[in-house]
Amino acid sequence: MIVATSEAGYRLVTQNEHGAQVGQLAAAWGGDAFAAPDPRAAVRMAAALHDAGWWEHDFAPRLVDGAPASVIEASHDDWTAFYDHGIVSVAERDPYAGLLCALHGAGVRRQRYGTQPSMSDRTAAYASFIETQEDRQRELLDALVDDPQYAAVVTEADRAVLTELRETGSVDGPTDSGVWRNFRLLEAWDRLSLYCCRNADPEPTTLEPVPLTPDAADVALELTPVDATTVRLDPYPFVRSPMAVPVRARTIPARDYGTETALRTAYYDAPLESVPFEFVA
């Protein structure tokens, strides 16, 4: 659950609704100097399902100090169990999408593998989970090499990147790895969506690194709010402007709920409404 607090109350966005928005971003990526992801279907699947394991958790909102708990307040055991479940589910359906989800799951505990150094590094606390996902990454890459659908889009550069990420937690210098590029796209889309979902009163910020084309240097996106649900991006990465990226959410009064039963009653009494987020050039 993603929680934003405003004068209207607590706005609650489930991880699946957030994922649906990330999927919208992936589908429309590729305007001007920005290259669309490849392989397109697998990357879009990973974008939409990167947090898929949280569905059961979000059925029943949790309480922390009288307020709805956000995903970052989930317990260690819940967090690892739900992420692992989602990654396995995606990998069973598509190994390339599963590889990206395994990179995302481990990456968010390793500062997004160096692409967001402002995050807390939780490598030690989540060492077992990270090891499981990094083993899975290598297994999925091996499967992709033998898969006629994907053999042409995975290379030794991808294998080298997985080794470097496991050993150092980041990639030092340029690489031809398509997996690394697609992972960084996924993280950029995830952060764009979180910027919308977490901020009822957004402020200007910079998001980096954001890939352009496979042979170009990354760029920084400047995010400038026009109003509470409209954000100007520079440079502009989508195929059209304005780019509508709505998210469904429930809004409940901001008060001390006392019990999870009271919280869940308020949550399910609230209508599921579309918040009309929009990106513009």
Side-chain angles (χ1 to χ4, degrees), residues 201-216:
D201 186 21
E203 297 182 352
T205 192
T206 301
L207 192 157
E208 59 182 335
V210 178
L212 278 171
T213 64
D215 56 356

Side-chain angles (χ1 to χ4, degrees), residues 92-159:
E92 287 175 346
R93 287 154 179 80
D94 186 282
Y96 197 103
L99 171 57
L100 293 180
C101 289
L103 282 161
H104 173 74
V108 293
R109 290 313 189 198
R110 299 191 74 177
Q111 298 176 313
R112 297 186 190 267
Y113 282 126
T115 65
Q116 192 178 1
S118 61
M119 291 182 76
S120 298
D121 187 348
R122 307 295 296 279
T123 303
Y126 287 81
S128 179
F129 171 80
I130 291 168
E131 182 179 12
T132 295
Q133 301 312 320
E134 291 180 342
D135 285 345
R136 181 171 287 134
Q137 292 164 19
R138 297 300 294 266
E139 292 168 2
L140 288 168
L141 187 66
D142 288 341
L144 288 166
V145 170
D146 296 328
D147 187 332
Q149 183 179 0
Y150 290 116
V153 297
V154 293
T155 68
E156 285 305 310
D158 298 320
R159 193 177 302 279

Side-chain angles (χ1 to χ4, degrees), residues 1 12 14 54-63 68-69 78 82 260-261 263-265 267-268:
M1 194 76 70
L12 307 177
T14 67
W54 288 88
W55 178 241
E56 293 181 16
H57 188 271
D58 284 346
F59 270 141
R62 311 296 173 91
L63 199 66
D78 280 350
F82 286 114
E260 288 184 340
T261 298
L263 170 64
R264 293 167 186 172
T265 299
Y267 177 76
Y268 282 107

